[in-house]
């Protein structure tokens, strides 16, 4: 299936979880926040939350800003 | 009791934000530094306890092997104030705040800024009001970047914003406080902390904001883009303290003509 991750198309196995996506992005264990179709997916749900084809995912972190 | 005229000095209220007392009245941003090491050093030198960060996609920002900003500016040591910089609509600002709250383990303190247009980055007040209302309803503690309009400042306070942060001048312009009169009016009217956010260029600008009675100043570029950011961070720390002390001391009245400082009696000429 295909999902949009941070604006880019990504190929993921059917039913992949948010945790699997984060792992694939080499971001496991980092301090980040995930939104799927403009709704927050709390960290506690990353291992259960299954993504669906066409989902729009945002994976964000804190960077320098004023 | 001898009859001495009562001297009215401003009350020295500590800076309290979201139920926490802060010693430092200087709040700093983390953008535009050369690297994370310089960011960390400058912030340490500034003495700031509240530090702003931006929220962005993970493919932007640092290199993969570089430490994360929050490893250098630890949420255990600093109060992290996520901003909504770059948002031009209330909707984007609210989304950003929700992501920030998730990022920071449920901490609900945010700096709301909704911008109007790219050239001036002037606050978009209609969208700011919409976003503030939604965020407050959702339990956020909102420190709001706003125009220096005293009526809008009052409105934001009445809505429940916990700090009012009018711009001194456009973000990153370094022009200093452009409308002292309005900042003064906002300070007079407000029961929540008032912090000048944006526009400070050098130490004297920060001092002026504090002399006007502001509870604090938030700055980023003035430190980060100084030739020596660490030295400027120290200058800003001192400037904030000097301005605060001057405000509390109560300045002398301004006069049109001179008034000799040395006695006129006892001259030998």
């Amino acid at each position: 299936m295909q999902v949009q991750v941070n604006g880019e198309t990504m190929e993921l196995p059917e039913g992949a979880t948010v945790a699997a996506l984060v792992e694939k992005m080499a971001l496991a264990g980092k301090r980040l926040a995930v939104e799927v179709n403009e709704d927050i997916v709390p960290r506690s749900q990353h291992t259960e939350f299954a993504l669906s084809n066409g989902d729009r995912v945002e994976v964000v972190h804190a960077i320098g800003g004023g | 009791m001898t009859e001495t005229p009562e001297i009215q000095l401003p009350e020295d209220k500590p800076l309290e934000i979201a139920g926490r007392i802060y010693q430092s009245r200087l709040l700093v941003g983390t953008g535009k530094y050369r690297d994370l090491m310089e960011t960390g050093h400058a912030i340490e030198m500034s003495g700031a306890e509240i530090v702003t960060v931006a929220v962005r996609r993970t493919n932007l920002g640092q290199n993969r092997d570089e430490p994360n900003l929050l490893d250098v500016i630890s949420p255990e040591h600093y109060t992290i104030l996520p901003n909504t910089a770059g948002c031009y609509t209330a909707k984007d600002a609210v989304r950003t705040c929700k992501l920030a709250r998730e990022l920071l383990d449920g901490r609900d303190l945010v700096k709301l800024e909704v911008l109007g247009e790219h050239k001036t980055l002037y606050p978009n007040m209609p969208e700011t009001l919409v976003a503030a209302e939604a965020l407050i309803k959702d339990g956020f503690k909102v420190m709001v970047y706003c125009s220096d309009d005293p009526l809008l400042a009052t409105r934001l306070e009445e809505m429940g914003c916990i700090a009012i942060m009018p711009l001194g001048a456009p973000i990153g312009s370094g022009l200093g406080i452009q409308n002292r009169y309005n900042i003064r009016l906002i300070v007079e009217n407000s029961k929540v902390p008032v912090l000048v956010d944006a526009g400070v260029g050098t130490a004297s600008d920060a001092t002026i904001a504090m002399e006007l009675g502001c509870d604090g100043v938030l700055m980023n570029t003035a430190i980060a883009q100084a030739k020596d950011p660490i030295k400027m961070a120290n200058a800003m720390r001192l400037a904030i303290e000097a301005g605060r002390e001057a405000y509390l001391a109560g300045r002398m009245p301004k006069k049109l003509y001179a008034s000799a400082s040395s006695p006129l009696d006892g001259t030998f000429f």
Side-chain angles (χ1 to χ4, degrees), chain B residues 105-252:
Chain B
D105 310 313
R107 291 179 179 89
D108 49 17
L109 185 68
V110 290
K111 172 187 157 179
L112 171 64
E113 60 177 293
V114 189
L115 305 173
E117 48 96 24
H118 296 82
K119 201 168 169 186
T120 61
L121 299 178
Y122 205 76
N124 179 337
M125 292 313 294
E127 288 293 305
T128 299
L129 290 163
V130 172
E133 190 169 14
L135 289 169
I136 291 163
K137 209 171 151 193
D138 196 7
F140 283 97
K141 298 189 177 72
V142 178
M143 301 176 72
V144 60
Y145 169 65
C146 56
S147 65
D148 61 7
D149 180 329
L151 298 181
L152 285 174
T154 302
R155 172 94 176 268
L156 289 163
E157 181 180 342
E158 284 168 357
M159 286 170 69
C161 291
I162 64 153
I164 307 299
M165 305 204 291
L167 78 169
I171 295 168
S173 70
L175 289 169
I177 317 291
Q178 291 301 296
N179 196 338
R180 298 181 194 190
Y181 176 73
N182 276 23
I183 298 292
R184 179 79 201 143
L185 275 181
I186 292 172
V187 168
E188 294 246 349
N189 294 340
S190 183
K191 287 180 198 68
V192 298
V194 175
L195 299 97
V196 160
D197 180 3
V200 165
T202 188
S204 52
D205 299 331
T207 303
I208 286 166
M210 296 309 292
E211 286 173 350
L212 289 169
C214 288
D215 297 278
V217 177
L218 197 166
M219 65 180 77
N220 189 154
T221 315
I223 297 175
Q225 299 281 283
K227 285 184 181 141
D228 182 340
I230 318 289
K231 213 170 185 58
M232 188 57 91
N234 192 40
M236 290 302 184
R237 181 178 62 80
L238 295 167
I240 295 282
E241 284 174 15
R244 177 67 182 174
E245 286 290 286
Y247 168 70
L248 293 174
R251 63 153 298 154
M252 62 162 283

Side-chain angles (χ1 to χ4, degrees), chain A residues 6-8 25-27 30-35 38 40-43 46 58-66, chain B residues 29-31 52-60 62 64 69-70 83 91 95 98-99 102-103 105 111 220:
Chain A
N6 289 348
E8 285 165 21
M25 295 170 83
L27 293 170
K30 303 265 184 191
R31 191 185 270 275
L32 43 81
V34 177
E35 193 192 53
E38 301 193 8
I40 300 289
V41 179
R43 215 165 303 161
H46 285 192
E58 295 292 339
V59 185
V60 304
H61 66 167
I63 66 161
Chain B
T30 50
T52 65
V53 302
V55 179
R56 290 292 181 271
R57 286 172 166 171
T58 46
N59 40 351
L60 282 184
Q62 294 115 14
R64 194 138 291 187
L69 175 66
L70 294 182
N83 69 27
K91 184 182 171 236
R95 260 180 90 188
K98 286 181 176 172
L99 281 163
E102 164 67 12
L103 190 63
D105 310 313
K111 172 187 157 179
N220 189 154

